[in-house]
Amino acid sequence: MRIGITCYPVYGGSGVVATELGRALAARGHEIHFIAYSLPFRLSKVTENIYFHEVSVNRYPLFDFPPYALSLTSKMVDVAKHEALDLLHVHYAIPHATSAVLARDILEKESRSLPVVTTLHGTDITIVGQDASYSPVVTYSINASDGVTAVSEFLRQETYDAFDVEAPIKVIPNFIDTEHFRRLEKDHFRSVICAPKQKVVVHVSNFRRVKNVSHVVEIFHRILQEGLSAKLLLVGDGPDRSNVEQLTRDLGIQEAVRFLGKQDPVQEILSIADLFLLTSGSESFGLAPLEAMACGVPVVCSDVGGLPELVQGSEAGYLCSLGDLDAFSKACMKILTDDSLHRKMARHARDYVIRHYDTHRIVVQYEEYYEEIIRKVTA
Ligand code: GMT
């Protein structure tokens, strides 16, 4: 198939999933055309059957707010026509689904067919999409897509609860390349980061408010107060970073916390981690804990959104009530002070990911879904 993929090219879960999907589809012989405003950050190079089409936005002086969604639509039309796309798959509803259905309708006038699949990722439904300034357009664009997928059961249900959506939504969970994401031998790196007996706690996020990164620091503070010798590695960057930095100074634990900023490849950091900690107020799937689990790192996460779908039954860690910092620190202490429990959880984590979330298992689900949607549209 010739498949167009649109995503946010910047650091973030939906862009990672879209890029990895494109790569995996290309490896299975499909021709993949990424359409975005810059090269997706994990797509360092284009290869034989991966193409990149940059969307440039005309910055006419009248435009205080250049209409990116329209430039994207025009590029989608252009690529669909000249590359003879069989299907366009967009990740994150705003504005990608809207641009895609508009592109499809433009092409329909020229008697060309462009089936549109929209994948809902999270904040496009749980936070941003529900804002009155977007909600009617999001509803329309989801209903007008030819196929819709969500990355968890939670997100599927949330979409039906929050929007007037009638379109069937198929759940296809996120996935990971378990060959690439595995525990690597990084003893040298570990010895640079911490003392021999110190434990390493890792958090990875975009430091948006929904991630509650200050809770991560407060939980870590409690762990230190319990007498454990540990280092906290905070990976990623975003709006809350400076507040969180200030909090570490206020708590007097700045020496035990390292801010690593945006990092790729994250598996090198996860390879020295003893625990992954996530305290989000909402999380539709949780790609970051999936990456940690693939690297054999036990996880402690809040019991919100799609996180129970990922963590429950995996025996790879614990879920704690959102904001219950005592419960979080107890759960962390349990894992960090019991070597045999830690070993068991680490093994379960990786095995569980290989069994349920490996790229090979999930990408075929997308392929089958594309075929189903193309059949439906052309019937
Ligand atoms: O976490 C974010 O806000 C970024 C966002 C994105 O679209 O890049 O992440 C969402 O999509 C990821 C990939 O499907 C999911 O793993 C994240 O759970 C989801 N984030 C939230 O729901 C907050």
Side-chain angles (χ1 to χ4, degrees):
M1 279 180 267
R2 291 162 177 244
I3 301 156
I5 294 183
T6 288
C7 63
Y8 280 103
V10 291
Y11 198 77
S14 60
V16 169
V17 171
T19 307
E20 295 302 331
L21 176 60
R23 269 220 274 249
L25 288 165
R28 291 171 67 83
H30 300 287
E31 190 175 293
I32 304 301
H33 294 265
F34 283 95
I35 307 169
Y37 59 79
S38 63
L39 192 69
F41 88 102
R42 281 214 183 153
L43 190 75
S44 48
K45 56 183 187 327
V46 292
T47 55
E48 194 191 342
N49 48 350
I50 298 184
Y51 299 78
F52 171 61
H53 307 268
E54 186 170 319
V55 180
S56 48
V57 182
N58 183 325
R59 298 189 179 275
Y60 190 64
L62 182 66
F63 297 154
D64 276 346
F65 305 100
Y68 170 68
L70 300 186
S71 305
L72 175 61
T73 304
S74 298
K75 186 54 97 180
M76 286 169 165
V77 169
D78 182 74
V79 176
K81 251 193 222 175
H82 296 111
E83 305 294 346
L85 295 185
D86 295 306
L87 181 131
L88 180 57
H89 185 179
V90 297
H91 293 258
Y92 207 90
I94 309 165
H96 303 151
T98 314
S99 294
V101 297
L102 183 55
R104 178 201 60 199
D105 293 352
I106 291 169
L107 287 162
E108 219 162 47
K109 296 271 177 230
E110 299 176 20
S111 304
R112 287 172 191 265
S113 149
L114 181 65
V116 169
V117 169
T118 295
T119 290
L120 309 172
H121 276 276
T123 49
D124 46 350
I125 294 302
T126 55
I127 301 178
V128 197
Q130 292 183 35
D131 188 281
S133 64
Y134 295 119
S135 169
V137 184
V138 172
T139 307
Y140 176 84
S141 308
I142 293 173
N143 282 323
S145 296
D146 298 296
V148 184
T149 74
V151 295
S152 62
E153 281 294 342
F154 158 79
L155 190 62
R156 176 179 183 273
Q157 196 49 52
E158 180 70 9
T159 308
Y160 286 128
D161 292 346
F163 298 89
D164 194 7
V165 162
E166 282 148 18
I169 301 175
K170 185 174 174 65
V171 175
I172 303 183
N174 288 336
F175 56 89
I176 193 159
D177 178 348
T178 55
E179 276 307 302
H180 190 62
F181 273 86
R182 53 167 51 238
R183 206 165 179 93
L184 307 165
E185 204 285 290
K186 287 282 158 195
D187 287 351
H188 175 70
F189 176 40
R190 191 176 169 113
S191 64
V192 171
I193 292 286
C194 63
K197 294 239 149 92
Q198 269 186 326
K199 299 292 181 187
V200 177
V201 178
V202 171
H203 166 85
V204 182
S205 78
N206 51 24
F207 283 64
R208 296 204 192 120
R209 193 192 293 168
V210 68
K211 305 289 178 181
N212 289 326
V213 189
S214 62
H215 286 180
V216 171
V217 170
E218 287 181 39
I219 293 160
F220 183 71
H221 180 223
R222 285 167 199 231
I223 293 173
L224 295 181
Q225 283 182 320
E226 292 284 327
L228 196 85
S229 174
K231 271 267 158 75
L232 173 63
L233 306 184
L234 294 169
V235 182
D237 210 331
D240 270 356
R241 175 165 167 177
S242 47
N243 291 341
V244 174
E245 279 178 325
Q246 185 54 46
L247 179 63
T248 63
R249 291 190 282 269
D250 293 346
L251 294 170
I253 58 170
Q254 65 273 31
E255 295 304 321
V257 182
R258 289 262 312 243
F259 288 81
L260 297 179
K262 291 179 185 171
Q263 290 288 335
D264 200 35
V266 79
Q267 68 270 29
E268 295 192 0
I269 297 160
L270 291 169
S271 290
I272 66 162
D274 296 302
L275 183 78
F276 181 88
L277 183 53
L278 190 72
T279 53
S280 306
S282 171
E283 200 69 60
S284 69
F285 179 87
L287 194 63
L290 178 71
E291 292 179 342
M293 286 163 66
C295 293
V297 183
V299 298
V300 175
C301 301
S302 37
D303 61 351
V304 300
L307 289 171
E309 291 170 51
L310 175 66
V311 177
Q312 231 152 45
S314 71
E315 297 176 57
Y318 296 118
L319 292 165
C320 301
S321 297
L322 176 63
D324 187 346
L325 304 189
D326 277 341
F328 267 99
S329 54
K330 278 192 190 120
C332 294
M333 284 300 285
K334 212 167 157 188
I335 297 172
L336 292 171
T337 57
D338 182 340
D339 286 348
S340 129
L341 175 69
H342 185 277
R343 266 197 306 277
K344 225 156 84 187
M345 285 186 157
R347 200 177 52 244
H348 279 304
R350 175 142 176 99
D351 289 351
Y352 190 76
V353 172
I354 290 174
R355 265 187 285 125
H356 296 276
Y357 297 100
D358 186 77
T359 304
H360 302 296
R361 290 183 186 279
I362 307 297
V363 170
V364 286
Q365 296 184 31
Y366 276 111
E367 261 177 352
E368 285 166 11
Y369 189 61
Y370 292 163
E371 284 161 8
E372 179 189 324
I373 296 303
I374 290 170
R375 272 197 307 276
K376 184 182 94 177
V377 168
T378 51

